[in-house]
């Protein structure tokens, strides 16, 4: 708690005769004050990033290193939806390109549907809509050799014998190959022969699982269907886990709230559903002539002609031959292909209305250096008829988001974007957002982070959700044709900082706990960037972040890459800033401790009781009428923001010698000071804003 003003003592008075610029370094105080604080000025380096820097796969500039590498994983998937049992049965061929310098002796698989098994760990407050037997693998082969499925699980909920038992005992299984962890969200394939650098591993996996539905589901992705009418599969196929230069295989469990850490590749997906059911998904539809009616194809051809909303399939068009093409056997296979993406999601319903509009993407230079001219992309919306009001303006909101973020960061690189209705109304995947108008801007923003700039959402969720929350503020302001309001954000953190349940942002988000997961992952980054904007300027923060995003398109930056890049781009030593905001839960906790006037001089004593330093920014309101411009008789700069207000700024390094108080000495030229406001933009985290103003409310001078 701040020390009352009456009992505070000034640690050191700065006898300063000001020039308007500061020396590069200040001399240390003769001796540290009794209540000195230690300011950590370096960015802490973990073992993983230290090893990567030594190996040359990461660079201290924050730019992609010359020796950087990333595995590419390509998928060919065939899946069939059985609406009678609400189950998917699939077969996939996965090609892993070992572009690493390492020899791989195992492959780690992500089996996210196992989160619906009753015994599988889950993070509160996420609750599955239904207990299922999870992801059941019935066959795994590596380079044509069938693997042994070790530890066959019992079926969940008494649903009968699991076919894994038979597969595990199959005489054709290669005993040198084994798959373990089949009831977990993380499984391992032990390779019979090591995969050398430059080689390929081809996995063939047969699988099935039920899509959960019901009323008790809580949390995104915990409910994936509405009855037997609409299905919204997500994390619906066995995925290869990430292997990278920082930690090797990513073996983090899927617990529910934290999201994903995927590699880029190509997806070739065929989805077998009943005829009459519309299907949307990642990528582009390759066989429209086989699955759509001639009328729907004609309407689709008009979507890019204007910003108008075009109905592709209306509420009165139902069943084979009307909603979709007809089919002799009552089923249709929808074929989608997507390249340079990191996942695939889809949705299907027998009751979907399909509407579409367009967005105009500005000209830009692509990640591979190609000049891409301005062009239009379709924005699709598939929703239930009774929920049309949630989508009537969703296309316009999404259009603005695509166009604004393309100007803000870099041009949207994908050929389309689709909004999918369903129980999860706030999730993002490449070219797909499970959203209506409510989250359309936010989920569209995720097409930049992490769908192009491939951050690790599981461990460092703030690098996609937090960055997104910040840019949503900018987008909302642009849509309203107003200036973005970033004032007040940083200061608000002071009321939270220091809570014993709050993890630091660099803590693994997968284990952040239900109380602070949302704050640490989503809300704290705008507060941090608001504070950074007060130091270097908001436009400078945005420009540096833009350059970072462009440098890391279709790559996988770590938090250190971002910190190093921003520090260099902004031309500032920001180790103290990143340490305080990302590695601690400290606050600034500043106050105007005392004000003394002698003749023409006024001494303002500013105190910081928190462990996070910040520059001193002081607005001085002078009596009107006189014309004298005040001077700071200290290492500060003074600028007049209007005829009666002087903005006085002391750089943050004034605190680096450990002091907790600093005297700002002003020569006002005889003009009386009517008011002082510390941190007028309210950008630095402060527990008590009332002591940032002089005179205090209700207090005399």
């Amino acid at each position: 708690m701040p020390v009352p003003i009456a009992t505070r003592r000034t640690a050191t008075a700065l006898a300063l005769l000001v020039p308007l610029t500061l020396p590069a370094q200040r001399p240390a105080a003769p001796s540290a004050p009794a209540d000195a604080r230690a300011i950590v000025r370096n960015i802490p380096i973990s073992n993983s990033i230290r090893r990567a820097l030594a190996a040359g796969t990461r660079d201290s500039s924050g730019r992609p290193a010359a020796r950087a590498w990333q595995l590419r994983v390509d998928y060919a998937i065939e899946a069939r939806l059985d609406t009678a049992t609400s189950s998917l049965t699939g077969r996939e061929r996965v090609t892993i390109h070992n572009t690493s310098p390492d020899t791989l002796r195992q492959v780690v698989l992500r089996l996210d549907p196992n989160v619906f098994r009753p015994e599988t760990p889950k993070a509160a407050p996420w609750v599955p809509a239904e207990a299922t037997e999870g992801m059941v693998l019935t066959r795994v082969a590596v380079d044509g050799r069938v693997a042994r499925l070790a530890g066959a699980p019992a079926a969940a909920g008494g649903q009968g014998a699991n076919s894994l038992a038979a597969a595990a005992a199959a005489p054709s299984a290669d005993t040198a190959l084994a798959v373990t962890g089949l009831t977990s969200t993380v499984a391992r394939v032990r390779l019979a022969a090591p995969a050398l650098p430059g080689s390929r591993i081809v996995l063939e996996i047969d699988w099935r699982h039920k899509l959960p539905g019901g009323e008790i589901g809580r949390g995104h992705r915990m409910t994936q269907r509405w009855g037997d009418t609409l299905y919204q599969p997500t994390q619906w196929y066995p995925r290869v886990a990430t292997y990278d230069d920082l930690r090797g295989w990513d073996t983090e469990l899927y617990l529910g709230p934290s999201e994903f850490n995927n590699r880029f590749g190509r997806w070739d997906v065929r989805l077998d559903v009943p005829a009459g059911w519309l299907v949307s998904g990642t990528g582009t539809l390759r066989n429209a002539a086989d699955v759509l009616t001639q009328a729907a194809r004609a309407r689709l051809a008009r979507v890019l002609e204007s910003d108008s909303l075009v109905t592709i399939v209306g509420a009165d068009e139902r069943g084979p031959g009307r909603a979709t093409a007809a089919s002799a056997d009552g089923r249709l296979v929808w074929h989608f292909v997507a390249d340079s993406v990191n996942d695939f999601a889809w949705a299907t319903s027998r009751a979907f209305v399909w509407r579409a509009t367009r967005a105009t993407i500005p000209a830009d230079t692509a990640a591979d250096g190609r000049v891409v001219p301005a062009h239009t992309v379709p924005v699709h919306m598939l929703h239930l008829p009774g929920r049309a009001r949630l989508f009537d303006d969703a296309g316009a909101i999404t259009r603005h988001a695509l166009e604004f973020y393309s100007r803000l960061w870099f041009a949207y690189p994908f050929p389309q974007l689709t909004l999918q209705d369903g129980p999860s109304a706030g999730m993002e995947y490449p070219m797909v957002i499970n959203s209506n108008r409510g989250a359309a801007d936010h989920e569209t923003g995720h097409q930049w982070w992490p769908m192009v700039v491939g951050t690790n959402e599981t461990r460092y969720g703030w690098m996609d959700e937090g960055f997104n929350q910040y840019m949503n503020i900018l987008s909302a302001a642009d849509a309203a044709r107003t200036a973005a309001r970033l004032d007040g954000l940083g200061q608000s953190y002071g009321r939270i900082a220091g809570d014993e349940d709050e993890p630091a942002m660099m803590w693994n988000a997968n284990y952040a706990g239900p109380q602070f997961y949302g704050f640490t992952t989503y809300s704290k980054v705008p507060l941090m960037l608001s504070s950074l904007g007060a130091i270097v300027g908001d436009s400078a923060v945005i420009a540096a972040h833009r350059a970072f995003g462009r440098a890391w398109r279709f790559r996988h930056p770590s938090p250190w890459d971002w910190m190093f890049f921003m520090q260099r781009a902004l031309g500032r030593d920001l180790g103290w800033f990143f340490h305080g905001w990302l590695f601690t839960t400290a606050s600034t906790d500043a106050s105007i401790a005392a004000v003394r006037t002698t003749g023409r001089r006024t001494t303002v004593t500013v105190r910081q009781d928190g462990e996070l330093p910040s520059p001193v920014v002081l607005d001085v309101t002078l009596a009107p009428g006189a014309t004298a411009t005040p001077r700071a008789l200290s290492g500060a700069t003074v600028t007049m923001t209007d005829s009666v207000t002087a903005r006085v700024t002391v750089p943050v390094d004034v605190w680096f010698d450990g002091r907790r108080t600093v005297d700002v000495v002003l020569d006002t030229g005889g003009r009386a000071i009517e008011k002082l406001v510390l941190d007028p933009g309210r950008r630095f985290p402060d527990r008590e804003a009332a002591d940032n103003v002089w005179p205090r409310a209700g207090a005399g001078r």
Side-chain angles (χ1 to χ4, degrees), residues 283-523:
T284 56
L285 180 64
R286 292 301 180 91
N287 64 335
D290 298 332
V291 297
L292 300 182
T293 64
Q294 183 176 358
R297 298 198 305 273
R299 296 165 189 165
L300 269 177
R302 300 200 304 269
V303 168
L304 299 183
E305 293 176 355
S306 74
D307 289 347
S308 300
L309 196 59
V310 178
T311 298
I312 311 303
V313 176
D316 59 343
E317 296 174 297
R318 290 286 173 265
R322 301 202 63 199
T324 70
S327 170
D329 65 356
R331 300 190 68 87
L332 292 171
V333 176
W334 296 62
H335 181 199
F336 294 89
V337 173
D339 203 358
S340 298
V341 296
N342 56 17
D343 204 355
F344 188 103
W346 58 289
T348 185
S349 176
R350 63 186 179 189
F352 268 155
V353 172
W354 182 358
R355 295 188 284 176
T357 184
R358 71 174 186 179
T360 301
I361 308 303
D364 199 0
T365 302
D368 61 6
R370 292 178 298 110
V371 175
V372 180
H375 60 286
T376 55
V377 298
V379 177
H380 303 287
M381 295 177 290
L382 288 89
H383 60 83
L384 297 184
R387 292 165 58 83
R389 63 181 180 81
L390 296 174
F391 289 85
D392 286 342
D393 62 349
I397 294 170
T398 304
R399 176 191 306 118
H400 172 267
L402 286 170
E403 295 175 353
F404 175 74
Y405 295 134
S406 290
R407 297 191 305 270
L408 184 66
W409 307 131
F410 50 82
Y412 181 67
F414 300 129
Q416 62 91 12
L417 182 65
T418 299
L419 287 74
Q420 300 180 154
D421 199 3
S424 181
M427 262 308 295
E428 71 282 354
Y429 300 90
M431 294 184 244
V432 162
I433 60 175
N434 290 345
S435 180
N436 52 52
R437 71 178 311 278
D441 182 84
H442 177 85
E443 305 307 340
T444 300
H446 278 306
Q447 298 302 311
W448 281 260
W449 278 269
M451 301 310 162
V452 177
V453 183
T455 57
N456 182 343
E457 303 173 82
T458 307
R459 183 176 287 265
Y460 305 115
W462 60 269
M463 289 190 74
D464 74 295
E465 298 293 359
F467 288 163
N468 201 358
Q469 291 288 99
Y470 176 75
M471 65 199 239
N472 297 158
I473 296 171
L474 308 180
S475 177
D478 184 79
R481 299 183 180 180
T482 61
R485 298 183 62 181
L486 297 170
D487 282 353
L489 297 181
Q491 186 185 83
S492 67
Y493 177 59
R495 298 191 295 271
I496 300 166
D499 190 297
E500 291 180 353
D501 289 329
E502 181 196 355
M505 290 169 68
M506 289 298 287
W507 181 256
N508 188 331
N510 211 25
Y511 308 103
Q515 183 173 346
F516 272 99
Y517 172 81
F519 174 75
T520 304
T521 302
Y522 288 77
S523 302

